[in-house]
């Protein structure tokens, strides 16, 4: 059974950068489509970025395209989310999730979730 644990969240000023990490255990990270999602207070969980298990194609929400980069380190079994040019509206709990299929943006397709890491961007 796969497990995922996020880290790297924190408080940053607008325009700053953070790198989130998602450590995967139990299976190799390349066996899964891995996604990052976020949930702000009072809002639904939304897709942020993903990397497919086949072909390693990457996908991004329009709101983060050009600012966030998802990457996978197969040797270390870790997924990263590099976030730059952060905005106050990026403030949320960020979740890492694993999906044994190929569907990317629908959170219902992901069956393994971490506990989340808080990202707060001050203006």
């Amino acid at each position: 059974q796969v497990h995922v644990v996020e880290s790297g969240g924190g408080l940053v000023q607008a325009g700053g950068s953070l790198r989130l990490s998602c450590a995967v255990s139990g299976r190799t990270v390349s066996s899964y489509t891995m996604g990052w999602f976020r949930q702000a207070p009072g809002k639904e969980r939304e897709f942020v970025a993903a990397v497919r298990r086949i072909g390693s194609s990457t996908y991004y929400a329009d709101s983060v395209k050009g600012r966030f980069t998802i990457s996978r380190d197969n040797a270390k079994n870790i997924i990263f989310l590099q976030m730059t040019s952060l905005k106050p509206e990026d403030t949320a709990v960020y979740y890492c999730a694993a999906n044994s299929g190929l569907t990317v943006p629908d959170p219902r397709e992901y069956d393994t979730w971490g506990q989340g890491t808080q990202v707060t961007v001050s203006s």
Side-chain angles (χ1 to χ4, degrees):
Q1 185 175 356
V2 65
H3 295 277
V4 299
V5 178
E6 306 95 335
S7 61
L11 173 64
V12 64
Q13 288 187 331
S17 300
L18 278 176
R19 188 177 77 162
L20 305 183
S21 299
C22 173
V24 180
S25 60
R27 292 284 299 273
T28 57
V29 67
S30 57
S31 301
Y32 293 90
T33 292
M34 299 298 300
W36 285 98
F37 294 80
R38 66 187 182 187
Q39 188 166 19
K43 295 187 177 181
E44 293 187 353
R45 191 168 298 188
E46 64 173 359
F47 169 75
V48 175
V51 54
R52 267 189 175 166
R53 65 178 179 88
I54 294 178
S56 298
S57 299
T58 56
Y59 302 84
Y60 298 93
D62 288 342
S63 58
V64 306
K65 203 169 292 183
R67 300 188 298 123
F68 290 12
T69 303
I70 188 170
S71 61
R72 183 173 68 197
D73 186 329
N74 290 336
K76 296 182 178 180
N77 238 31
I78 296 178
I79 296 290
F80 298 103
L81 184 68
Q82 179 68 50
M83 306 185 294
T84 63
S85 301
L86 283 161
K87 305 175 181 179
E89 51 264 42
D90 294 319
T91 295
V93 177
Y94 284 69
Y95 297 91
C96 177
N99 169 7
S100 57
L102 297 174
T103 305
V104 166
D106 188 346
R108 296 171 296 180
E109 297 293 332
Y110 291 76
D111 45 25
T112 300
W113 292 81
Q115 293 189 327
T117 185
Q118 176 71 47
V119 172
T120 302
V121 184
S122 62
S123 57

